[in-house]
Amino acid sequence: MEQNLTLPELFGSMLFGERIMKERLSKSTFQAWKKSVSNGTQLELSAANEIAEAMKQWALEKGATHFTHWFQPMTGVTAEKHDSFIEPVGDGTVVMEFSGKELVRGEPDASSFPSGGLRATFEARGYTAWDPTSFAFVKDHTLYIPTIFCAYSGQALDKKTPLLKSMDEVSKQAVRILRLFGDTETKRVTAQCGPEQEYFLIDKQLYNQREDLKLTGRTLFGNKPPRGQELEDHYFGQLKPRVSEFMRDLDNELWKVGVLSKTKHNEVAPSQHEMAPIYTNANLAGDQNQLTMELMKRVADRHGFHCLLHEKPFAGVNGSGKHDNWSLGTDTGKNLFNPGSTPAQNARFLLFLAAFVKGVDEYQDALRTTVASAGNDHRLGAQEAPPAILSIFLGQELDGVVQSIIRGKEFHEAGKKTLQVGIDMLPPIPQDNTDRNRTSPMAFTGNKFEFRMLGSSQSISGPNIALNTMMAEELRQFADRLEGQEDFQSALQELLKETFTAHERIIFNGNGYDQSWVEEAEKRGLSNLVSTADAIPHYIDQKNIDLYVKNGIYTEEEVMARYRIHVENYCATISIEAHTMDDMIRRQILPAVSSFAAELCRRMGDLKAAEVPVVYETRTCSHLAILTDALLEATEELEKHLSEVPEIPEEAMRYFRDVIVQDMVQARDAADRLEAITDEKYWPFPGYSRLLFSE
Ligand code: ADP
Ligand code: MG
C-alpha cells in the first residue's frame, strides 16, 4: 500500500499533525489547542477530552491498539510505557477507550528512572503530560504521545520541561529587544534547530560476534586495518546498494512520522554516514532526533545491519558527532541571525550577535558540560572534531565588521567602498558568509550557529537548553540597559562596542585543530576542559547555577540532581567498559592466543622432526609469550584497580579517568599487538577490516 503513496501523501501519514487536527477537531477546540501552543498555557480538560477522542479514532484507523506517553528522562534516551486502549464492558466484550485525562496525565512508576536524588522512594510516582507543541504519531501499532515528565512535587525529571521553559524565556527577552527596534508585531520568538546526525552501519552478523559492541556500543579492541580512511574516497562517495536501500527505507519511516529528513550522504570514515533533517522548533527537533536515532537502529536491523551511534566505535577511525544548527526565528517569519540589508536590520542583527558572543564567552564551561560524556572524550580535540575549547568562528568578513566596531575605525569591504562607522551608521554585513571552517566548535554559517561539539548519541536538548538560557540572560541584560534610553542609537553603539571589546577573545577564525590554538587559547584565558571529569564539576559552579535559577529553568536542587546523574553516568559507562574488557580478555583473547601458541609448538615439533627450519614458529611463539605476559599483567592491574574504586562519586569519576582508563589503554595495546600476529582463524571475534569494509 505504502508503495503506491506519493511522497506528499506519505509524509506525515502517521502523524496527528496540525492538518489532521484541523480536519477532525471542532473549531473551538482547534483554536484552544493553537492558543495553548502559542501562549505555552495548559489545555482545558474539555478540549483535552475532544482531542483525546479524535486522536484515538485516528490512531485506531491507523491500526493502533496501544498508546504510550513517550518521554525523555534525564539520561537523554527516551522511555515509554504502553497501555492498551481496551476497557472491559460488563458483558465480557471490550471497547476502545482513551480520555482527556489519560492524554494530559499518565502516571508511570518513576522509581527506576534516574532522579539524581530528587525523588524520595516513598514518592516514586511521577506524571507525564502531553506537550501540545509536539505531535503524536503512530508507530508499531502504538499511538506515541510526546510528554513532559515531572515528579509530583513539580520538579522536572526530564529534558523536555526545562527545554520548553528555556524556549519561553528566550522568547520573552528577545521580544523585549524587538520592541526597542520598533517591532510591535512579533509575539513569539522560537529557538529553531536542525541536527545533523552521523552514524555507522556495520554488518549485523559481525556485530553479534563482538561482546564489546553489544555491551558498550564501541570496540574495546581492534588492530588498525591495513587500510583506514587514508584514501578519503568514502566522503560523499557513491552509496553501496544495500546502504542505499537502508536509507530509502529510513527516509520512508521518518517521513511517515513527519520527520523532514532531507540530506543523506557518506561520511569521512568507511561505513560512516550522515542524515540531516530540515530544521524546526527546538522542541520538535529534539523529539524528532530521538525518534530518528531509534528508527535508524530499527531499520538497520531489517537490512541486516547494526547502526552504531557511539561517538567513537573504532579507534584510529573518525568518530561520529552531531551538529546542532541553532537560530532564533520570529512568528512573523524573520530569522534574527540573518544579517539584514538595511542599517536598521544590521543593528538588530549585531545586537543578537553581540548577545551570543557575550553568552558563549561567559558560559564557555556551562556549554562544555552539556557535551561532556565518556564517549565524547574520545573525539573532542582528537584531530577529527573541534577541541574541548569553546570559541566562535565568524568568518573573515563578519569578523572585519566586529573589528571595525571595536576599533571604531573605518570598515573596508574588500575591494569595495569604504564606510565610516558613525553614530547612525553601522557597517553593512556581507550577505555571503559562505566560508566554512570545519574546525570550529561554534561556527556562524550565514544565518545560524552550528554547535559542533555534540556527540552522536547525545540528546540535543541539553545543549539547546544551555544556548537558549544563555541567550535569554544576555538579552535581558541588554534590554534592561537599553529600555528607556533617550538616544537609542548611541546607547546601542556603545553597548555593541563595549560587548565586542570585552568578549573579543572568544572569537577565533583560525584552525582549531592546530596545537598552537591550544596555547593561544590559554593566553586568552579561555577554558580548556579536556575530559568529562574536568568539565562536569563546572556544572555546579555558582555562576552556572545562577544562570539557570535566575532564568527560571531549574531550581538549584534540579541542577544538583542533573550534575549527580552526569557523574554517575560517566562512572557507570567506564565501569561497564572495563568489566567487558576484562571478560573478553580472560574468556576469549587469552584462551585463543594460548591455543594458537600450542598449535605452533606442535607444528614446531613436526617440522623439527622433518629437519625443516622453524624460524617463523619460534619467533612468533616468543612474541606471543612476551605479549601474553604483558596482557595478563595489564589485566591483573585492571582487576585490582576495579576492586578499589572510591565510594565518593566525584572521587570515583577522577579515579576512573586517571586509573581505570589508563589500565584499559595498556591492556588494549597488548591485545591489539597480539591480534596483529595471531592466525585469523584463532582470533575470537571479527577484526576492523571485516567490520569496516563489509557492506
Ligand atoms: P551544512 O552545514 O552541511 O552545509 P546546511 O547548512 O544545509 O548544511 O544545513 C545543516 C542543517 O542546518 C540542516 O538541518 C538545516 O535544516 C539546518 N538549518 C538551516 N537553516 C537553519 C536555521 N536558520 N536555524 C537552524 N537550523 C538551520
Ligand atoms: Mg554542518
Side-chain angles (χ1 to χ4, degrees):
M1 179 190 75
E2 270 162 33
Q3 276 81 350
N4 302 328
L5 293 181
T6 63
L7 179 49
E9 284 166 349
L10 180 76
F11 187 81
S13 59
M14 293 306 221
L15 186 76
F16 193 70
E18 181 159 351
R19 188 177 50 82
I20 300 280
M21 281 198 243
K22 197 164 183 182
E23 245 169 61
R24 299 197 171 211
L25 299 176
S26 67
K27 207 164 173 191
S28 63
T29 299
F30 182 73
Q31 289 307 333
W33 167 75
K34 280 288 251 191
K35 208 173 109 207
S36 113
V37 170
S38 52
N39 305 347
T41 48
Q42 244 193 322
L43 211 53
E44 304 245 327
L45 193 59
S46 60
N49 274 329
E50 193 188 321
I51 295 175
E53 183 56 30
M55 208 186 253
K56 182 195 76 184
Q57 274 309 331
W58 170 84
L60 292 177
E61 286 163 30
K62 299 287 173 189
T65 50
H66 287 68
F67 67 92
T68 179
H69 279 202
W70 183 63
F71 53 99
Q72 304 181 20
M74 290 190 274
T75 42
V77 294
T78 54
E80 48 198 66
K81 172 180 175 264
H82 295 234
D83 279 310
S84 114
F85 286 121
I86 55 171
E87 281 292 329
V89 263
D91 60 359
T93 59
V94 294
V95 290
M96 299 300 228
E97 279 296 347
F98 181 57
S99 70
K101 268 210 190 98
E102 282 170 304
L103 175 65
V104 297
R105 180 161 290 205
E107 292 185 12
D109 176 358
S111 58
S112 48
F113 292 105
S115 75
L118 274 184
R119 194 180 347 83
T121 32
F122 62 84
E123 233 318 4
R125 283 182 312 170
Y127 70 86
T128 52
W130 180 39
D131 157 21
T133 63
S134 187
F135 300 118
F137 55 91
V138 167
K139 179 166 77 80
D140 302 326
H141 304 288
T142 302
L143 169 67
Y144 279 75
I145 304 164
T147 55
I148 57 156
F149 180 35
C150 290
Y152 263 99
S153 47
Q155 285 141 330
L157 294 172
D158 66 352
K159 284 185 182 271
K160 174 171 278 219
T161 312
L163 177 66
L164 291 171
K165 287 182 180 167
S166 74
M167 289 174 74
D168 279 349
E169 193 56 31
V170 74
S171 171
K172 204 158 87 195
Q173 301 306 333
V175 168
R176 279 179 73 193
I177 295 286
L178 293 178
R179 295 287 179 266
L180 292 169
F181 285 91
D183 173 345
T184 50
E185 273 189 306
T186 302
K187 289 199 189 62
R188 186 156 175 102
V189 169
T190 305
Q192 36 197 26
C193 163
E196 298 164 66
Q197 176 73 48
E198 290 182 339
Y199 61 97
F200 278 87
L201 282 182
I202 58 164
D203 190 273
K204 187 162 72 174
Q205 304 259 316
L206 300 176
Y207 164 85
N208 279 325
Q209 293 170 46
R210 293 200 56 135
E211 198 178 328
D212 49 3
L213 284 176
K214 287 198 283 185
L215 297 183
T216 72
R218 75 178 182 104
T219 56
L220 299 171
F221 306 98
N223 189 41
K224 230 184 146 216
R227 180 187 152 175
Q229 61 198 47
E230 294 85 357
L231 295 176
E232 298 205 333
D233 56 352
H234 190 68
Y235 193 49
F236 283 97
Q238 212 185 354
L239 297 175
K240 304 228 168 79
R242 195 169 149 209
V243 173
S244 166
E245 273 165 39
F246 157 85
M247 287 184 175
R248 186 145 17 93
D249 197 4
L250 176 66
D251 274 346
N252 273 327
E253 292 296 331
L254 290 170
W255 290 335
K256 276 197 267 177
V257 290
V259 178
L260 288 152
S261 172
K262 173 90 171 142
T263 2
K264 51 185 182 185
H265 60 76
N266 286 348
E267 264 300 327
V268 180
S271 295
Q272 193 185 28
H273 313 281
E274 182 186 288
M275 174 278 187
I278 295 174
Y279 69 97
T280 177
N281 79 60
N283 179 36
L284 204 54
D287 282 356
Q288 295 194 342
N289 183 248
Q290 295 291 339
L291 192 55
T292 301
M293 292 194 284
E294 217 175 290
L295 284 168
M296 278 177 168
K297 295 220 167 230
R298 188 178 301 224
V299 174
D301 192 66
R302 290 211 285 261
H303 292 261
F305 285 123
H306 184 86
C307 172
L308 294 172
L309 291 168
H310 193 281
E311 283 73 21
K312 192 74 178 177
F314 306 99
V317 174
N318 272 11
S320 301
K322 179 140 52 191
H323 291 174
D324 184 29
N325 294 272
W326 176 93
S327 69
L328 294 174
T330 67
D331 54 1
T332 52
K334 284 191 288 254
N335 175 350
L336 298 173
F337 286 107
N338 214 348
S341 45
T342 65
Q345 285 167 355
N346 278 346
R348 189 188 71 207
F349 165 74
L350 287 168
L351 181 146
F352 279 91
L353 179 68
F356 189 85
V357 166
K358 180 170 184 280
V360 174
D361 188 27
E362 287 176 349
Y363 298 103
Q364 297 165 44
D365 45 4
L367 286 167
R368 170 68 182 89
T369 58
T370 67
V371 297
S373 72
N376 223 9
D377 277 2
H378 298 286
R379 281 178 71 239
L380 296 179
Q383 296 301 313
E384 58 178 65
I389 307 164
L390 246 306
S391 68
I392 300 176
F393 168 84
L394 291 182
Q396 230 178 7
E397 304 210 294
L398 189 52
D399 191 46
V401 173
V402 170
Q403 288 303 321
S404 75
I405 293 173
I406 294 175
R407 320 259 170 250
K409 278 203 209 114
E410 289 180 336
F411 172 69
H412 299 273
E413 206 179 343
K416 293 187 201 148
K417 54 189 184 297
T418 300
L419 283 160
Q420 186 73 35
V421 182
I423 291 297
D424 53 2
M425 182 66 166
L426 286 161
I429 316 293
Q431 287 290 311
D432 182 27
N433 282 291
T434 46
D435 56 337
R436 294 288 168 93
N437 178 337
R438 301 203 58 91
T439 68
S440 174
M442 187 73 86
F444 180 69
T445 49
N447 59 9
K448 62 186 188 288
F449 281 95
E450 190 167 332
F451 189 18
R452 301 198 180 115
M453 290 172 101
L454 284 74
S456 47
S457 68
Q458 255 193 298
S459 158
I460 56 172
S461 295
N464 284 332
I465 293 167
L467 287 170
N468 296 342
T469 310
M470 142 209 130
M471 199 64 190
E473 171 65 29
E474 306 302 349
L475 291 175
R476 164 160 6 75
Q477 289 179 22
F478 285 6
D480 285 349
R481 177 164 156 178
L482 294 172
E483 276 168 359
Q485 289 281 346
E486 260 171 44
D487 184 350
F488 174 66
Q489 285 303 331
S490 23
L492 174 63
Q493 290 267 351
E494 205 178 301
L495 174 74
L496 291 178
K497 179 167 180 171
E498 193 184 299
T499 307
F500 284 127
T501 306
H503 301 286
E504 192 188 356
R505 63 174 189 167
I506 198 77
I507 299 169
F508 175 64
N509 294 297
N511 180 1
Y513 290 4
D514 209 274
Q515 181 53 31
S516 65
W517 167 233
V518 177
E519 287 148 31
E520 163 74 17
E522 194 179 341
K523 275 196 220 128
R524 294 190 187 187
L526 300 180
S527 78
N528 182 6
L529 303 167
V530 179
S531 70
T532 298
D534 296 311
I536 294 300
H538 292 278
Y539 208 93
I540 50 170
D541 283 356
Q542 196 57 48
K543 160 182 80 80
N544 296 335
I545 296 180
D546 289 347
L547 172 71
Y548 290 115
V549 174
K550 194 165 139 199
N551 285 286
I553 313 302
Y554 296 127
T555 61
E556 182 154 355
E557 245 190 318
E558 286 173 331
V559 178
M560 290 305 293
R562 271 150 223 266
Y563 159 76
R564 283 192 287 269
I565 287 172
H566 274 297
V567 174
E568 278 165 23
N569 256 340
Y570 176 79
C571 294
T573 304
I574 307 287
S575 171
I576 292 168
E577 288 185 352
H579 282 103
T580 305
M581 188 169 220
D582 180 44
D583 193 60
M584 289 172 80
I585 293 171
R586 289 274 182 198
R587 300 192 314 119
Q588 299 185 332
I589 298 177
L590 288 173
V593 171
S594 172
S595 304
F596 178 47
E599 161 78 17
L600 286 177
C601 288
R602 262 197 309 279
R603 266 194 251 159
M604 236 187 281
D606 293 350
L607 292 169
K608 268 191 191 146
E611 291 182 12
V612 175
V614 287
V615 184
Y616 162 70
E617 287 73 13
T618 323
R619 284 200 197 153
T620 306
C621 268
S622 72
H623 272 148
L624 286 176
I626 293 167
L627 289 171
T628 304
D629 280 358
L631 178 58
L632 186 62
E633 204 173 301
T635 307
E636 282 169 355
E637 275 293 289
L638 175 66
E639 287 164 351
K640 176 168 159 285
H641 289 148
L642 277 175
S643 69
E644 294 167 355
V645 176
E647 300 235 331
I648 298 170
E650 284 79 1
E651 276 178 35
M653 177 167 71
R654 285 190 292 274
Y655 180 87
F656 273 110
R657 178 194 60 189
D658 297 336
V659 180
I660 302 295
V661 169
Q662 307 314 319
D663 288 345
M664 289 171 69
V665 170
Q666 295 294 320
R668 175 175 185 150
D669 182 61
D672 289 356
R673 284 167 196 263
L674 280 166
E675 184 186 348
I677 58 167
T678 300
D679 181 344
E680 200 180 7
K681 286 204 300 285
Y682 282 87
W683 201 251
F685 38 78
Y688 273 23
S689 294
R690 288 181 66 203
L691 288 172
L692 286 166
F693 295 97
S694 67
E695 39 172 83

